[in-house]
Amino acid sequence: MKLKHLAPSAAILAAGALTLSACGGTSATGEEASGGDSDLQGTLTGIGASSQKAAMDAWTADFASENSGVTVNYSPDGSGAGREQFLAGNAQFAGSDAHLDDDEAKQGKEACGADGAYEFPVYISPIAVTFNVKGVDELNLSPSTIAKIFKGEISKWNDKAIKADNPDAKLPDTKITAVHRADDSGTTENFAEYLKATAEKDWVAEVSGDFPKDFGGEAAQGTDGVVQTVSDTDGAIGYADASAVGSLSKAKVKVGDEYVELSADAASKVVDASEKVKGRGEGDLAFDLARDTTESGAYPIVLVSYHVVCSSYKDQETVDMVKAWEKFVVSEEGQKSAADSAGSAPLSDDLRSQIETVIDSIKVEG
């Protein structure tokens, strides 16, 4: 089914959807926005990754300031929901913390025409292993220890494995509450990919956006739910996009022989060392991330969040809006806005150039 002029889906109408109408004035970065392309008119609907929420707040505000006739609606219902709704024709773009799998790529040809869906990175961010343990402000964790904690094999904070990673720390005899996502989540998929690549003997589950039910722990809805549960629970540990964890403590992760603190620069080192997914079309800029890198200073628990768009749309007005929107998101201005608001790592100039070429190729169907 080709994407047509869309009525808002139930997800968009739900409370919590991000809706910003273009009205001019001050941008999300606090600067006066210049006048934009007043010829653009209409509404864009997006559904997807909650990890992009802080960045989307900034992007939609800044884009609205520069394009007075456009409204961008984005509902952060999760990556799985975003891909599903996009492929069903209920959104003009999706946000996803995982690239399309092979079956979804095939579905993209039904939704978007012969050239299928295009996907490209828009947001690069470390995933924090965040914790709340009374009396513990700093924590080092190896991949094996992280895997065993989230499998439920390590249940107390003074376990010998955690002590081995933190020989000088005073660790309490507190029960560990391992908090994971309840929903189909790209953040979970990225976290699981990291553990599968670096602690395969301990993380025996298949990689999926759904957290393994057999591993127990406490489930929370969305990024905000994980962060809130960790904040409210002494002894809790969880994983969430770094932009969302606020003042919660964040563990350093063992890479090679060192424990690396998360940062935007450390996350970008992993992307620079990664290769594109093989066998995809020219419009598909999906990456196989180098999770098992041993490069000094690299932080390998990272998500690359994508926007998924159609290679063609029914009318020129939609094509023009999608092109303008996505070009703003990946522009230096858009990436700086996201970095200031969410602490993400800006796209490299080379990757931006590749993405702009893909965006330029979006056309009217037929």
Side-chain angles (χ1 to χ4, degrees), residues 28-345:
T29 56
E31 299 175 356
E32 286 296 319
S34 59
D37 184 352
S38 60
D39 292 335
L40 291 175
Q41 299 285 333
T43 299
L44 287 179
T45 296
I47 305 172
S50 59
S51 62
Q52 291 186 26
K53 184 177 183 295
M56 286 294 306
D57 284 339
W59 287 331
T60 50
D62 290 349
F63 183 75
S65 295
E66 297 182 1
N67 296 274
S68 60
V70 181
T71 298
V72 178
N73 293 324
Y74 184 76
S75 188
D77 297 342
S79 297
R83 296 193 304 275
E84 181 180 356
Q85 292 297 317
F86 170 78
L87 292 170
N90 295 326
Q92 282 114 352
F93 72 96
S96 178
D97 294 340
H99 59 71
L100 299 173
D101 62 28
D102 290 342
D103 286 340
E104 289 171 331
K106 290 179 181 178
Q107 293 176 48
K109 294 182 180 298
E110 297 178 11
C112 300
D115 292 333
Y118 292 160
E119 58 185 334
F120 41 82
V122 296
Y123 178 80
I124 300 170
S125 179
I127 296 171
V129 179
T130 185
F131 63 95
N132 176 14
V133 183
K134 188 175 181 179
V136 180
D137 297 322
E138 296 183 2
L139 190 66
N140 296 327
L141 294 175
S142 67
S144 176
T145 302
I146 297 171
K148 289 177 180 178
I149 287 172
F150 282 92
K151 277 179 66 180
E153 290 185 5
I154 295 176
S155 59
K156 292 290 187 72
W157 278 107
N158 61 353
D159 187 274
K160 62 182 181 180
I162 302 178
K163 285 184 175 179
D165 288 335
N166 303 271
D168 299 325
K170 293 182 179 180
L171 298 166
D173 185 32
T174 303
K175 176 186 174 183
I176 294 175
T177 300
V179 186
H180 61 266
R181 289 281 289 270
D183 50 319
D184 183 345
S185 159
T187 307
T188 295
E189 186 167 347
N190 278 273
F191 186 61
E193 280 183 1
Y194 160 74
L195 292 174
K196 193 71 170 178
T198 58
E200 186 175 12
K201 291 182 179 179
D202 300 302
W203 195 262
V204 295
E206 292 299 317
V207 173
S208 171
D210 293 310
F211 190 87
K213 294 180 180 179
D214 294 344
F215 289 175
E218 184 161 345
Q221 187 71 26
T223 300
D224 291 344
V226 170
V227 172
Q228 189 64 54
T229 303
V230 174
S231 298
D232 292 343
T233 309
D234 181 29
I237 185 170
Y239 57 91
D241 186 84
S243 68
V245 300
S247 61
L248 281 172
S249 298
K250 310 168 191 67
K252 294 180 180 179
V253 174
K254 192 172 187 180
V255 178
D257 295 326
E258 65 179 330
Y259 291 92
V260 179
E261 184 176 5
L262 69 79
S263 69
D265 289 341
S268 66
K269 284 188 176 184
V270 176
V271 179
D272 289 343
S274 302
E275 296 182 355
K276 282 189 269 188
V277 175
K278 296 179 180 178
R280 298 293 180 88
E282 292 183 3
D284 197 314
L285 298 179
F287 287 86
D288 277 326
L289 297 177
R291 305 287 188 186
D292 56 353
T293 183
T294 57
E295 182 179 351
S296 178
Y299 184 88
I301 315 179
V302 61
L303 66 82
V304 173
S305 204
Y306 298 85
H307 275 185
V308 188
V309 300
C310 271
S311 55
S312 64
Y313 293 88
K314 177 179 172 57
D315 55 76
Q316 190 66 52
E317 290 81 3
T318 303
V319 168
D320 290 343
M321 283 193 295
V322 171
K323 284 185 173 183
W325 161 246
E326 296 298 351
K327 279 199 169 184
F328 174 78
V329 167
V330 303
S331 70
E332 288 188 40
E333 179 186 355
Q335 290 293 296
K336 183 179 184 303
S337 182
D340 291 344
S341 300
S344 56

